[in-house]
Amino acid sequence: MRNLQNKTLCLLVLIVFTNCSKKNDDLSIPENSVFEPKTELISLTEKESNLTLAWKPVIIDGFINYKVYRLDSHTDAFDNPNLIVNLGELVYQTDNNLNTEYVDNEVPYNSFINYAVVTEYFNEVNTMTSVTSINYLSYENEDLFFSLTSLEKLADGSFKLVWEQDFNNAFENYTIYTLNNGSATSSSDIVNIGEVLHIQNIQENTSIIDNTQYTDEVVSYAVSKKINGKIILSKNFLSIENPRNLSFLPSQTLKNPNDENEIIIINKEGGIVFYNVNTLNSQNVEIDGKIFYCSIGKFNGIEDLYVPSENGKVYVIDLNTYEIKEIIDLNTDYNIISAIAIDNHILFLEKHFQNSATIGGTFVYDRVNNNVLNRNGSYTMNLNSKLIFAKENYFFFVVWNGLEYQNTSATRRLNINGNEVSIDLSFNDSRIDSRLFALSSDQSYFVSTEFGYQSTINYPNVTEFTTGSYSNSPIYGDVKITENDNIYFTVPTSSRIDVFLKNGFNSPIVQYATIGEPLFIEIFENHLISINQIENSYFIETIPKQ
């Protein structure tokens, strides 16, 4: 009975094969035949610059044809036969289902040559249908394909890219491309929408050092090589995080007095970045709460960073180890919006945590006895107010009411006698505003307000006198005063930095163009560090001094 069933099955297969292969004189069924529409590629061989592709024959009723698709590429990332069909080129077609070999004598000049086969047939309702092969085959031209091997940041902050060398006699050049927006998914993306960084004509030189000041979060690289007039792209691309990019809007900068190459960048949402302007390395410190106006102060002969925060907390951060060495609790649920160290005390401003509330005041904390000396009531306090230490027991109380200057005193004197605390006030038409304030290195004068008013200081009398404004038209964003009395202003609306001399109100002595709008600056011996904004991106620019 079983022998009869086998003979019947063979007869049926022969009848089907005869019906769908009437054009063939040889009616024998190949051993590797498949009896469903989808075929399988079985070999891809190279001989004398030709490629021969073979696949299994499809023995079905309603067979129409085979179609061979070829996709040449610089990468082997095409691991789906349907991609090769959709993106590739139709290079061969046959309606003979026993013709299962294609000899490609026009092989493209590229790194990878990919093939897939589509079978077309009429289904049971006589509708033409196509099915892609279950696999694809790819040829790798080892003389052409190459990879990027490494990408690293060097000690000076530049990037070093290395790739594999080409050994073809017809080599012409390498072209290095960069993309600075983080959207690359292949080396083709970088070549098509990126920029040419460099063209290298030396075949043995397979690296480049890039010191470009990029603005976005990620920098990507790809390389192409030209051989005998043909362009071959690198098999891969490499990306690296841009150390000049900031993922937050900075609210303040300071120079680290313990490291001549380091700036401190404040993120008001709870982060502090210690940033080396030479190596572009950074160290992050997280604070549990919002951060307000910070200062550098001395206690027991040691300078630390004082970080005012929410719920009555002041964090003291070691400027060498970047560790939080102390958390001072001022026993209040108000926000501490500014704090400066004066001798064995901390002078601080506290404000109600609701921005619309003006409840708060100026108080003094005794660090030795761990108590607040003069919290004796509620006073009016503005969220943007700040304290700046001048010298001895003098300080500046800087506020902002939205005008270009305020009719209140800048200089104040703190008097502490045991538990008795008093602050001398003076009102003399001081032109001061918390949006812009810088104190000279000898504490003899300051620059304040967005138009850059300069004022001299008389400490014994607790007074100051405004001598002039550096401009009546530009609105300055930040100001720094150097030891030689050069005054640096950022001009965000014009993307530049203006430099004036003390009392030199007529015109700037130097102007520096910036990439984007400069928000903050710090001045070093040979260069400026400018933190700029382009749309919603923030980055650090190094500008050589003139």
Side-chain angles (χ1 to χ4, degrees):
M1 183 70 179
R2 180 171 297 177
N3 290 336
L4 179 60
Q5 290 176 342
N6 291 339
K7 290 180 180 179
T8 303
L9 178 61
C10 292
L11 180 60
L12 289 174
V13 171
L14 180 60
I15 293 173
V16 171
F17 176 66
T18 302
N19 289 336
C20 66
S21 307
K22 294 179 180 179
K23 297 181 182 180
N24 300 316
D25 295 332
D26 184 2
L27 299 181
S28 61
I29 301 176
E31 291 183 359
N32 62 348
S33 297
V34 292
F35 302 98
E36 58 182 356
K38 188 177 294 187
T39 187
E40 177 184 352
L41 309 189
I42 56 178
S43 66
L44 180 63
T45 57
E46 177 192 14
K47 185 176 182 180
E48 297 178 354
S49 300
N50 296 333
L51 295 176
T52 300
L53 177 70
W55 59 94
K56 293 181 179 181
V58 175
I59 309 301
I60 59 170
D61 192 15
F63 174 85
I64 300 176
N65 59 40
Y66 300 119
K67 290 182 176 179
V68 178
Y69 289 85
R70 179 183 65 203
L71 175 66
D72 66 296
S73 67
H74 57 276
T75 177
D76 58 352
F78 300 98
D79 55 358
N80 187 324
N82 288 310
L83 285 177
I84 297 171
V85 172
N86 293 332
L87 301 177
E89 174 189 4
L90 176 63
V91 292
Y92 178 68
Q93 180 175 323
T94 177
D95 59 2
N96 184 346
N97 66 332
L98 294 184
N99 187 355
T100 58
E101 186 176 276
Y102 165 62
V103 179
D104 192 347
N105 53 20
E106 296 181 356
V107 178
Y109 193 81
N110 213 331
S111 306
F112 296 87
I113 312 300
N114 308 279
Y115 296 92
V117 174
V118 171
T119 303
E120 292 187 336
Y121 67 102
F122 289 110
N123 61 18
E124 60 273 9
V125 294
N126 207 32
T127 300
M128 190 176 72
T129 307
S130 62
V131 179
T132 304
S133 54
I134 65 174
N135 65 329
Y136 79 101
L137 291 177
S138 180
Y139 166 74
E140 300 182 17
N141 189 335
E142 296 182 356
D143 294 333
L144 294 181
F145 81 83
F146 72 112
S147 299
L148 311 186
T149 57
S150 66
L151 174 60
E152 61 178 334
K153 183 174 71 67
L154 301 180
D156 63 355
S158 60
F159 298 141
K160 182 178 181 180
L161 176 69
V162 181
W163 60 90
E164 294 177 335
Q165 182 180 345
D166 180 83
F167 293 96
N168 287 279
N169 292 330
F171 170 85
E172 296 181 42
N173 60 50
Y174 301 112
T175 302
I176 299 91
Y177 301 84
T178 62
L179 181 64
N180 183 213
N181 64 15
S183 64
T185 59
S186 69
S187 51
S188 297
D189 290 341
I190 300 173
V191 170
N192 291 333
I193 63 178
E195 297 181 357
V196 174
L197 174 65
H198 180 67
I199 297 178
Q200 176 61 261
N201 297 317
I202 302 175
Q203 192 170 14
E204 295 79 17
N205 192 344
T206 58
S207 67
I208 189 172
I209 295 177
D210 182 14
N211 56 12
T212 305
Q213 298 193 48
Y214 295 102
T215 61
D216 219 323
E217 186 176 357
V218 175
V219 184
S220 300
Y221 293 86
V223 176
S224 71
K225 58 185 179 182
K226 190 174 183 181
I227 305 172
N228 197 25
K230 303 292 185 178
I231 302 298
I232 306 298
L233 302 188
S234 55
K235 177 179 176 179
N236 62 331
F237 73 98
L238 294 178
S239 298
I240 193 169
E241 290 186 2
N242 179 13
R244 293 184 178 275
N245 180 267
L246 296 175
S247 59
F248 59 89
L249 169 62
S251 60
Q252 184 187 356
T253 62
L254 306 95
K255 291 179 75 172
N256 188 344
N258 292 357
D259 190 332
E260 62 181 8
N261 297 314
E262 194 167 75
I263 62 174
I264 304 169
I265 307 171
I266 307 300
N267 175 8
K268 66 180 180 180
E269 298 303 321
I272 298 170
V273 178
F274 290 85
Y275 186 87
N276 189 296
V277 299
N278 289 338
T279 66
L280 309 188
N281 292 330
S282 61
Q283 180 72 36
N284 297 336
V285 179
E286 299 297 325
I287 298 296
D288 187 19
K290 287 188 176 181
I291 295 175
F292 298 94
Y293 189 73
C294 303
S295 65
I296 293 174
K298 185 178 292 186
F299 178 62
N300 289 337
I302 299 175
E303 284 189 303
D304 294 305
L305 177 66
Y306 288 78
V307 181
S309 187
E310 297 177 292
N311 302 321
K313 301 292 192 303
V314 176
Y315 295 81
V316 183
I317 298 179
D318 191 299
L319 293 171
N320 295 313
T321 66
Y322 315 121
E323 295 179 352
I324 300 174
K325 61 191 297 184
E326 184 180 2
I327 301 177
I328 301 173
D329 190 343
L330 299 177
N331 300 316
T332 176
D333 58 359
Y334 284 14
N335 294 333
I336 308 303
I337 60 174
S338 186
I340 58 176
I342 298 180
D343 296 327
N344 293 330
H345 300 83
I346 293 179
L347 177 61
F348 66 93
L349 303 178
E350 71 176 24
K351 183 192 174 298
H352 194 277
F353 54 85
Q354 291 183 351
N355 290 343
S356 58
T358 59
I359 302 172
T362 305
F363 303 106
V364 177
Y365 171 75
D366 185 340
R367 298 186 74 171
V368 176
N369 297 304
N370 189 28
N371 66 311
V372 177
L373 298 181
N374 62 327
R375 183 181 283 131
N376 54 9
S378 297
Y379 305 92
T380 299
M381 183 55 56
N382 186 286
L383 179 63
N384 296 288
S385 300
K386 63 182 69 167
L387 299 172
I388 297 170
F389 179 62
K391 64 178 184 177
E392 299 167 350
N393 60 332
Y394 293 92
F395 67 93
F396 295 92
F397 178 49
V398 189
V399 294
W400 175 35
N401 70 353
L403 301 177
E404 70 272 15
Y405 65 89
Q406 288 215 138
N407 188 18
T408 58
S409 174
T411 315
R412 301 191 177 188
R413 182 170 56 209
L414 175 66
N415 302 295
I416 302 175
N417 182 15
N419 289 336
E420 297 298 322
V421 175
S422 63
I423 297 174
D424 296 331
L425 307 179
S426 176
F427 301 89
N428 66 333
D429 297 330
S430 173
R431 299 187 179 225
I432 189 167
D433 194 305
S434 66
R435 287 170 293 183
L436 191 75
F437 186 94
L439 182 64
S440 65
S441 58
D442 64 357
Q443 293 90 34
S444 64
Y445 70 96
F446 64 85
V447 173
S448 188
T449 83
E450 62 183 15
F451 292 116
Y453 285 94
Q454 179 185 311
S455 301
T456 58
I457 307 166
N458 185 316
Y459 287 98
N461 295 329
V462 199
T463 60
E464 68 277 342
F465 176 72
T466 298
T467 54
S469 172
Y470 286 94
S471 177
N472 291 319
S473 53
I475 297 177
Y476 298 129
D478 189 22
V479 58
K480 294 295 188 302
I481 305 173
T482 61
E483 292 183 355
N484 61 351
D485 288 326
N486 282 349
I487 304 173
Y488 290 74
F489 293 99
T490 65
V491 189
T493 55
S494 300
S495 296
R496 73 173 193 265
I497 296 170
D498 288 348
V499 186
F500 293 85
L501 294 174
K502 177 184 177 182
N503 294 320
F505 303 110
N506 292 329
S507 62
I509 58 173
V510 180
Q511 289 184 318
Y512 298 91
T514 60
I515 304 171
E517 300 178 5
L519 305 179
F520 298 96
I521 51 171
E522 294 294 343
I523 315 303
F524 293 83
E525 182 178 358
N526 298 316
H527 56 268
L528 321 178
I529 294 297
S530 178
I531 298 182
N532 306 337
Q533 177 176 1
I534 296 181
E535 296 180 347
N536 294 322
S537 178
Y538 310 96
F539 71 100
I540 300 170
E541 180 182 8
T542 302
I543 305 174
K545 272 188 178 179
Q546 297 182 19

